[in-house]
Every structure is written in C-alpha cells, then in structure tokens.
Amino acid sequence: MRILLTGKNGQLGRCFQDALKGTNHELFAYGSAELNIVDADLVAAVVEQVKPDIIVNAAAYTAVDKAETDSENAYLVNATGPELLAKQAGILGIPFIHVSTDYVFDGEAVEPYLPTDQTNPKGIYGASKLAGERAVSAACDKHIILRTAWVFSEYGNNFVKTMVRLAKERDALSVVADQYGCPTYAGDLAKAILHICEQHEQGKLITWGTYHYCGDTPTSWHGFARAIFAKAELLGIIAKRPQLKAISSDQYPTPAKRPEYSVMSTQALASFGIQASSWSTSLALVLSKLT
Ligand SMILES: NC(=O)c1ccc[n+]([C@@H]2O[C@H](COP(=O)([O-])OP(=O)(O)OC[C@H]3O[C@@H](n4cnc5c(N)ncnc54)[C@H](OP(=O)(O)O)[C@@H]3O)[C@@H](O)[C@H]2O)c1
C-alpha cells in the first residue's frame, strides 16, 4: 500500500513511521518543510506525484495556549490544511485518515463522551480542530477522524517528558487535579491507524466517520504525574519522587480554558477490532526509552 503521511516530525508522525518498519507498505512521509499542508498547489502536486492508496494526516497546530492569540494560523493548519488534503483524497476516491482532539468537547459531561455527543470547544485550538473535522467530512466521503487525547511518546515535547525533567530539577511540584482525561501513547495510536489502513487494503467493510481512540483508564493530570513518578523511580530514571501537590485549574491559570472532563469512550472502535490503549503499559515503555 502506498501511504502518504503528513506531519512526519511530530509525535504521531514519528511513531507511525516506527509502526511501518518491517511492513511492506511504501511510505511517502513529509514534514512541514517539504509539504506545507496549507499550500493548495503543493498539496495537489504532491498527491498527484505520489498517487497514494491512502492519506494519513498527522500534521496539526498543537500549541493549545498559543492558539488563543494566533487563531489565524491555528485555523489554517487545523482546518484549511486538512480540507485541502481531504479534497485530494476525495478526487482520487481514496481514504483520508485524520486525527482530532478531546478538546472539541466542553467537559461538562459526567460519563465518557461518545463520537456522536454534542461538541462545544472551550478554546481556539479545539474550535479549529472541530472546523477541521467538519471540513474533512464534507470534502471526502471515505474519511476516518480519530479523536485522541493527552498524547505522549518518546518523541517531541509532552507531559511525560516535562514531568521527568522537572522531577530531576525540583523537590516539589504542583499539578492540576481537577481536569480528567485519557492519556494516549502515540505509538498505540499509530498502530491503530495502521490497522485501519490494512483493513481497507484487505477490502474489509469500513464504516467511515468519527471515532475515539485514547487510553483506557481516565485520570487527572495529577494522577498521571503520580504514575509517571512511580514508574520513573522504579526504572531508576529519577533518583526520588518529588513531593506532588494537587491544585485546581484556578490555581494554574492558562490562556486557553480546558475541559474538566474530556474522557472519551473508545467502544465504537471495537468494530475494527481495536481496543483502547493501555497507557500504563505504554508509559513504562516510553520511560524505558528515555533512559
Ligand atoms: N499532543 C496532544 O496532546 C494531542 C491531544 C489531542 C489530540 N492531538 C492531535 O493528535 C495529532 C498528532 O499530534 P502530535 O502530538 O503528534 O503533534 P506534534 O508533535 O505537535 O506534531 C505536529 C506536526 O505537525 C506539523 N505541522 C505543523 N504545521 C504544519 C503545516 N503547515 N504543514 C505541514 N505540517 C505541519 C509539524 O511539522 P514540522 O515539525 O515538520 O514543522 C509537527 O511535526 C494532531 O492532530 C493533534 O491535534 C494531540
């Protein structure tokens, strides 16, 4: 299968390249320097040249707080770019796999969000990703939109790497304890995407649309930090756990408001034979790669 991947230098992009190692798929992977997804002519030219069987979009504007004052760029990368890619997929009649976020929800729910639940983003990032979802579904019938959450990996910048760094520098840390979500290993997400690509290749019947893929056990940022420190200490990555204080979001103001409860149900993906990511197992794997 000829797979065109955008965002190759990001967490998901790098994990997707790892997931393809040892397979016989042909990967055509691009970073922003080679393929700026907001450049309509370039997107059309690259798709024309590669002639992919499937397009996977791992490119995104992911700076949640910066987006509040940089909304034009956030919308360009998160809505216009995916629309341009999806249009090309639509023209070729090939599937387009796109990734979105739990931040399309307002977090007022009391049970895990289903893909069909009402969206209502609290910030520009979530709003731009929601605009992207709508543009993708309008531009390409054969689309899969995977909403994910709290992504971590051995690559790039993420909460796990930040916590490990801070644990080495400080004796005490305060972490927000009133936002709940599902940490997700980018490597597990990459494997789920590859699985969907292969089901398509094998001619399996696919119900196109929006799905949720994230970690299996909801936690707070505070709970996630506690798990990170416990495993990091066990693996000898940090000498000792810092004191961990639970604080409220009010005590840690950020430019973008975040949902209090963005736990998502991954149940709908069972139809692909895909289970939620076991983030605790994957956390140990990622930490072991950081040594
Ligand atoms: N990170 C999270 O916690 C999180 C949570 C929920 C959902 N998601 C979603 O999950 C997906 C993957 O996120 P991630 O954490 O892997 O993101 P990431 O590490 O921030 O990587 C995003 C990549 O997008 C590329 N990019 C940005 N602007 C571009 C443009 N104009 N043209 C082409 N490429 C561009 C960048 O490429 P270069 O490096 O080459 O410049 C970057 O490597 C995204 O759709 C994101 O919205 C992430």
Side-chain angles (χ1 to χ4, degrees):
M1 191 172 21
R2 293 168 72 84
I3 305 176
L4 194 161
L5 170 73
T6 61
K8 74 167 187 184
N9 301 313
Q11 296 193 77
L12 175 59
R14 293 184 69 176
C15 286
F16 191 71
Q17 292 170 80
D18 290 345
L20 280 180
K21 282 178 191 151
T23 71
N24 52 17
H25 303 301
E26 282 181 87
L27 180 67
F28 302 84
Y30 297 86
S32 64
E34 309 92 52
L35 176 56
N36 178 354
I37 62 164
V38 310
D39 182 334
D41 292 342
L42 190 55
V43 166
V46 167
V47 173
E48 159 78 13
Q49 188 197 342
V50 170
K51 295 190 177 32
D53 298 310
I54 199 158
I55 301 176
V56 175
N57 180 32
Y61 185 111
T62 55
V64 175
D65 288 317
K66 194 173 164 215
E68 293 299 307
T69 49
D70 190 22
S71 74
E72 195 179 331
N73 278 321
Y75 272 89
L76 269 175
V77 180
N78 289 342
T80 309
E83 180 177 26
L84 293 172
L85 290 161
K87 272 189 178 150
Q88 293 302 319
I91 291 168
L92 291 182
I94 60 168
F96 181 64
I97 302 192
H98 179 64
V99 182
S100 190
T101 174
D102 55 333
Y103 284 10
V104 296
F105 296 115
D106 61 18
E108 303 292 322
V110 289
E111 54 188 36
Y113 282 101
L114 299 172
T116 46
D117 280 343
Q118 178 74 45
T119 52
N120 183 29
K122 294 186 95 159
I124 300 290
Y125 167 72
S128 67
K129 294 292 290 185
L130 181 59
E133 290 186 6
R134 289 177 175 155
V136 165
S137 41
C140 177
D141 290 342
K142 290 184 185 171
H143 66 269
I144 295 288
I145 295 168
L146 286 179
R147 292 189 186 127
T148 191
W150 297 25
V151 176
F152 67 94
S153 70
E154 60 273 42
Y155 301 120
N157 296 316
N158 56 65
F159 186 77
V160 172
K161 289 172 82 175
T162 303
M163 286 301 117
V164 168
R165 176 174 53 78
L166 290 177
K168 289 176 179 170
E169 293 169 5
R170 300 190 196 169
D171 294 328
L173 278 172
S174 299
V175 179
V176 169
D178 59 0
Q179 291 171 25
Y180 290 86
C182 300
T184 310
Y185 175 40
D188 292 335
L189 175 60
K191 282 186 193 153
I193 291 174
L194 180 57
H195 185 73
I196 295 171
C197 292
E198 290 178 339
Q199 294 218 328
H200 167 68
E201 186 187 32
Q202 290 156 14
K204 299 238 169 82
L205 188 67
I206 289 184
T207 305
W208 308 105
T210 302
Y211 294 86
H212 292 166
Y213 183 82
C214 58
D216 52 2
T217 315
T219 187
S220 66
W221 290 113
H222 179 267
F224 192 21
R226 197 173 45 219
I228 294 164
F229 295 148
K231 280 208 161 59
E233 189 184 37
L234 208 65
L235 290 166
I237 295 165
I238 56 174
K240 71 174 177 69
R241 303 180 207 189
Q243 262 184 14
L244 187 57
K245 188 180 165 202
I247 56 167
S248 68
S249 302
D250 291 345
Q251 291 172 286
Y252 188 75
T254 51
K257 287 210 176 342
R258 285 147 167 89
E260 272 181 26
Y261 178 90
S262 59
V263 175
M264 299 191 293
S265 164
T266 58
Q267 189 52 43
L269 271 182
S271 60
F272 289 86
I274 295 173
Q275 307 298 322
S277 153
S278 167
W279 67 257
S280 177
T281 308
S282 299
L283 174 61
L285 179 83
V286 168
L287 287 171
S288 68
K289 290 184 180 182
L290 296 182
T291 53

XYZ file of all heavy atoms in Angstrom, residues 38-94:
410
model
N -0.998 23.776 4.116
C -1.918 24.888 3.802
C -1.663 25.446 2.399
O -2.354 26.359 1.968
C -1.861 26.020 4.856
C -2.008 25.450 6.258
C -0.609 26.850 4.755
N -0.683 24.888 1.694
C -0.356 25.318 0.325
C -1.122 24.421 -0.661
O -0.716 23.288 -0.948
C 1.167 25.194 0.131
C 1.628 25.669 -1.241
O 0.824 25.620 -2.201
O 2.800 26.071 -1.348
N -2.223 24.963 -1.175
C -3.137 24.154 -2.008
C -2.437 23.562 -3.227
O -2.632 22.378 -3.550
C -4.323 25.011 -2.445
N -1.618 24.375 -3.916
C -0.959 23.880 -5.140
C 0.016 22.757 -4.817
O 0.097 21.746 -5.528
C -0.208 25.024 -5.843
C -1.180 26.045 -6.419
O -2.375 25.692 -6.581
O -0.764 27.184 -6.677
N 0.769 22.955 -3.717
C 1.756 21.948 -3.325
C 1.063 20.639 -2.914
O 1.505 19.545 -3.292
C 2.603 22.500 -2.164
C 3.830 21.702 -1.756
C 4.767 21.466 -2.929
C 4.580 22.430 -0.629
N -0.003 20.774 -2.151
C -0.746 19.578 -1.719
C -1.216 18.801 -2.957
O -1.024 17.579 -3.059
C -1.953 19.967 -0.819
C -2.916 18.794 -0.641
C -1.453 20.456 0.539
N -1.783 19.525 -3.925
C -2.281 18.863 -5.142
C -1.125 18.209 -5.904
O -1.246 17.072 -6.379
C -3.012 19.872 -6.018
N 0.021 18.929 -6.000
C 1.163 18.412 -6.766
C 1.743 17.159 -6.109
O 2.060 16.172 -6.792
C 2.236 19.495 -6.883
N 1.876 17.174 -4.775
C 2.463 16.021 -4.073
C 1.538 14.804 -4.201
O 1.993 13.682 -4.467
C 2.764 16.367 -2.591
C 3.076 15.113 -1.788
C 3.917 17.354 -2.503
N 0.252 15.027 -4.022
C -0.692 13.904 -4.125
C -0.671 13.337 -5.552
O -0.645 12.114 -5.746
C -2.120 14.338 -3.708
C -3.130 13.220 -3.986
C -2.143 14.713 -2.229
N -0.608 14.227 -6.529
C -0.551 13.816 -7.944
C 0.704 12.979 -8.216
O 0.665 11.960 -8.888
C -0.588 15.096 -8.797
C -0.061 14.994 -10.202
C -1.063 14.342 -11.156
O -2.246 14.189 -10.777
O -0.640 13.979 -12.252
N 1.815 13.408 -7.612
C 3.099 12.724 -7.838
C 3.153 11.372 -7.116
O 3.584 10.366 -7.687
C 4.216 13.644 -7.317
C 5.618 13.175 -7.638
C 6.640 13.880 -6.741
O 6.367 14.921 -6.138
N 7.808 13.302 -6.652
N 2.665 11.327 -5.865
C 2.776 10.104 -5.055
C 1.746 9.046 -5.465
O 2.009 7.859 -5.410
C 2.626 10.450 -3.542
C 2.482 9.188 -2.697
C 3.820 11.276 -3.067
N 0.585 9.528 -5.879
C -0.523 8.610 -6.197
C -0.752 7.603 -5.057
O -0.643 6.371 -5.246
C -0.279 7.878 -7.524
C -0.252 8.816 -8.715
C -0.248 8.083 -10.033
C -0.284 9.000 -11.237
N 0.378 10.313 -11.126
N -1.068 8.119 -3.877
C -1.208 7.218 -2.712
C -2.476 6.375 -2.779
O -3.440 6.732 -3.463
C -1.280 8.199 -1.534
C -1.858 9.453 -2.117
C -1.369 9.529 -3.528
N -2.449 5.274 -2.009
C -3.668 4.472 -1.817
C -4.454 4.990 -0.615
O -5.622 4.655 -0.442
C -3.291 3.000 -1.560
C -2.564 2.405 -2.756
O -3.079 2.557 -3.876
O -1.475 1.835 -2.561
N -3.770 5.746 0.238
C -4.405 6.266 1.448
C -3.588 7.466 1.942
O -2.367 7.510 1.734
C -4.488 5.138 2.526
C -5.514 5.449 3.591
C -3.154 4.834 3.135
C -6.022 4.204 4.333
N -4.254 8.440 2.558
C -3.531 9.594 3.131
C -3.773 9.615 4.636
O -4.905 9.479 5.098
C -4.007 10.933 2.516
C -3.788 10.945 0.994
C -3.283 12.120 3.157
C -4.309 12.195 0.282
N -2.672 9.770 5.397
C -2.760 9.886 6.862
C -2.247 11.271 7.247
O -1.100 11.614 6.951
C -1.907 8.789 7.554
C -1.911 8.984 9.067
C -2.412 7.392 7.190
N -3.091 12.043 7.899
C -2.688 13.395 8.292
C -2.313 13.446 9.776
O -3.181 13.412 10.633
C -3.816 14.393 8.015
C -3.413 15.805 8.414
O -2.233 16.161 8.318
N -4.357 16.601 8.862
N -1.005 13.538 10.023
C -0.533 13.668 11.417
C -0.049 15.092 11.676
O 0.512 15.379 12.731
C 0.590 12.667 11.688
N -0.253 15.985 10.714
C 0.164 17.382 10.883
C -0.928 18.150 11.616
O -2.110 17.930 11.381
C 0.426 18.028 9.524
N -0.519 19.037 12.495
C -1.509 19.850 13.218
C -0.812 21.013 13.905
O 0.405 20.992 14.131
C -2.226 19.000 14.273
N -1.605 22.011 14.236
C -1.167 23.107 15.104
C -1.592 22.685 16.505
O -2.789 22.625 16.803
C -1.876 24.392 14.681
C -1.444 25.644 15.419
C -0.723 26.642 14.767
C -1.758 25.832 16.760
C -0.330 27.793 15.436
C -1.368 26.974 17.434
C -0.658 27.959 16.767
O -0.268 29.096 17.436
N -0.623 22.325 17.352
C -0.969 21.701 18.641
C -0.666 22.587 19.860
O -0.812 22.122 20.996
C -0.230 20.353 18.797
O 1.174 20.582 18.633
C -0.702 19.329 17.801
N -0.243 23.833 19.617
C 0.079 24.731 20.740
C -1.221 25.330 21.279
O -1.677 26.387 20.822
C 1.050 25.812 20.290
N -1.817 24.631 22.253
C -3.173 24.950 22.741
C -3.259 26.392 23.264
O -4.197 27.126 22.933
C -3.581 23.938 23.842
C -4.925 24.304 24.457
C -3.622 22.517 23.268
N -2.292 26.813 24.052
C -2.358 28.171 24.611
C -2.011 29.243 23.576
O -2.677 30.271 23.497
C -1.425 28.278 25.834
C -1.991 27.515 27.023
O -3.215 27.625 27.263
O -1.242 26.790 27.692
N -0.997 28.972 22.762
C -0.592 29.949 21.742
C -1.722 30.217 20.744
O -1.878 31.322 20.232
C 0.655 29.413 21.016
C 1.379 30.448 20.181
C 2.691 29.902 19.645
C 3.199 30.797 18.518
N 3.887 30.076 17.471
N -2.520 29.191 20.508
C -3.622 29.328 19.535
C -4.577 30.454 19.916
O -5.200 31.080 19.054
C -4.393 28.004 19.429
N -4.674 30.745 21.224
C -5.606 31.793 21.673
C -5.261 33.148 21.066
O -6.140 33.985 20.866
C -5.599 31.884 23.209
C -6.165 30.648 23.897
C -7.633 30.381 23.537
O -8.449 31.295 23.692
O -7.932 29.258 23.098
N -3.969 33.384 20.771
C -3.571 34.676 20.190
C -3.047 34.494 18.763
O -2.502 35.421 18.174
C -2.465 35.334 21.050
O -1.445 34.368 21.291
C -3.024 35.859 22.356
N -3.199 33.304 18.219
C -2.658 33.006 16.882
C -3.716 32.204 16.116
O -3.398 31.211 15.467
C -1.360 32.194 17.066
C -0.571 32.019 15.777
O -0.755 32.830 14.839
O 0.210 31.052 15.698
N -4.955 32.655 16.234
C -6.050 31.817 15.743
C -6.001 31.628 14.229
O -6.371 30.572 13.726
C -7.401 32.360 16.195
O -7.743 33.496 15.489
N -5.507 32.642 13.513
C -5.471 32.509 12.051
C -4.630 31.292 11.632
O -5.047 30.479 10.809
C -4.885 33.791 11.433
C -5.142 33.885 9.950
C -4.583 35.162 9.350
O -4.501 36.185 10.065
O -4.206 35.122 8.182
N -3.454 31.184 12.244
C -2.593 30.040 11.907
C -3.191 28.721 12.384
O -3.080 27.694 11.709
C -1.195 30.224 12.498
C -0.344 31.125 11.622
O -0.419 31.035 10.397
N 0.412 32.008 12.241
N -3.804 28.751 13.573
C -4.413 27.523 14.094
C -5.488 27.017 13.124
O -5.539 25.827 12.797
C -5.009 27.773 15.478
N -6.325 27.917 12.640
C -7.385 27.515 11.694
C -6.798 27.076 10.353
O -7.300 26.135 9.729
C -8.397 28.651 11.498
C -9.509 28.620 12.518
C -9.374 29.287 13.731
C -10.680 27.900 12.296
C -10.381 29.253 14.682
C -11.690 27.854 13.252
C -11.540 28.531 14.439
O -12.539 28.479 15.383
N -5.718 27.776 9.914
C -5.106 27.379 8.637
C -4.618 25.931 8.698
O -4.928 25.110 7.832
C -3.916 28.295 8.328
C -4.187 29.554 7.508
C -2.921 30.396 7.411
C -4.709 29.203 6.112
N -3.848 25.617 9.759
C -3.232 24.285 9.836
C -4.259 23.216 10.240
O -4.201 22.089 9.759
C -2.034 24.292 10.827
C -1.401 22.910 10.908
C -1.004 25.325 10.412
N -5.186 23.577 11.128
C -6.111 22.560 11.654
C -7.408 22.418 10.866
O -8.129 21.426 11.036
C -6.441 22.867 13.127
C -5.249 22.604 14.033
O -4.323 21.891 13.634
N -5.259 23.170 15.220
N -7.715 23.404 10.026
C -8.955 23.300 9.247
C -8.679 23.371 7.743
O -9.022 22.441 7.001
C -9.930 24.398 9.655
N -7.998 24.441 7.280
C -7.764 24.587 5.840
C -6.883 23.458 5.306
O -7.204 22.846 4.268
C -7.102 25.957 5.536
O -7.880 26.974 6.161
C -7.002 26.211 4.047
N -5.775 23.180 5.994
C -4.852 22.131 5.533
C -5.534 20.768 5.402
O -5.497 20.141 4.337
N -6.202 20.300 6.482
C -6.906 19.017 6.370
C -7.959 19.011 5.264
O -8.138 18.000 4.577
C -7.560 18.866 7.753
C -6.681 19.652 8.668
C -6.162 20.808 7.866
N -8.615 20.158 5.055
C -9.612 20.225 3.986
C -8.957 20.027 2.610
O -9.461 19.279 1.765
C -10.345 21.572 4.023
C -11.393 21.704 2.928
C -12.168 23.000 3.014
O -11.637 23.994 3.547
O -13.318 23.009 2.529
N -7.791 20.677 2.424
C -7.087 20.545 1.131
C -6.670 19.097 0.889
O -6.833 18.563 -0.223
C -5.846 21.449 1.114
C -6.115 22.962 1.137
C -4.806 23.733 1.310
C -6.810 23.390 -0.159
N -6.151 18.457 1.921
C -5.731 17.055 1.794
C -6.941 16.153 1.529
O -6.903 15.270 0.665
C -5.025 16.603 3.075
C -3.635 17.200 3.342
C -3.264 17.053 4.811
C -2.583 16.527 2.455
N -8.015 16.401 2.292
C -9.221 15.558 2.151
C -9.828 15.717 0.761
O -10.329 14.750 0.173
C -10.235 15.922 3.232
N -9.760 16.942 0.227
C -10.296 17.160 -1.131
C -9.546 16.314 -2.151
O -10.140 15.711 -3.036
C -10.165 18.647 -1.525
C -11.355 19.481 -1.087
C -11.279 20.871 -1.675
C -12.510 21.672 -1.268
N -12.264 23.091 -1.148
N -8.217 16.269 -2.010
C -7.415 15.464 -2.942
C -7.752 13.977 -2.783
O -7.854 13.250 -3.781
C -5.915 15.692 -2.704
C -5.431 17.088 -3.056
C -5.698 17.448 -4.515
O -5.529 16.617 -5.409
N -6.126 18.672 -4.764
N -7.942 13.551 -1.540
C -8.330 12.147 -1.308
C -9.685 11.891 -1.959
O -9.893 10.849 -2.603
C -8.373 11.850 0.189
N -10.585 12.844 -1.802
C -11.923 12.714 -2.396
C -11.850 12.602 -3.916
O -12.540 11.770 -4.525
N -10.988 13.402 -4.534
C -10.843 13.370 -6.000
C -10.344 11.991 -6.457
O -10.829 11.425 -7.432
C -9.864 14.491 -6.473
C -10.516 15.862 -6.266
C -9.447 14.291 -7.926
C -9.564 17.047 -6.414
N -9.370 11.443 -5.688
C -8.810 10.122 -6.051
C -9.713 8.964 -5.597
O -9.479 7.822 -5.978
C -7.425 9.928 -5.410
C -6.270 10.785 -5.933
C -4.987 10.427 -5.211
C -6.083 10.601 -7.434
N -10.679 9.268 -4.740
C -11.559 8.206 -4.208
C -10.853 7.308 -3.220
O -11.209 6.134 -3.056
N -9.816 7.859 -2.537
C -9.069 7.062 -1.550
C -9.426 7.531 -0.130
O -9.912 8.647 0.050
C -7.535 7.182 -1.771
C -7.090 8.661 -1.646
C -7.126 6.602 -3.123
C -5.593 8.845 -1.551
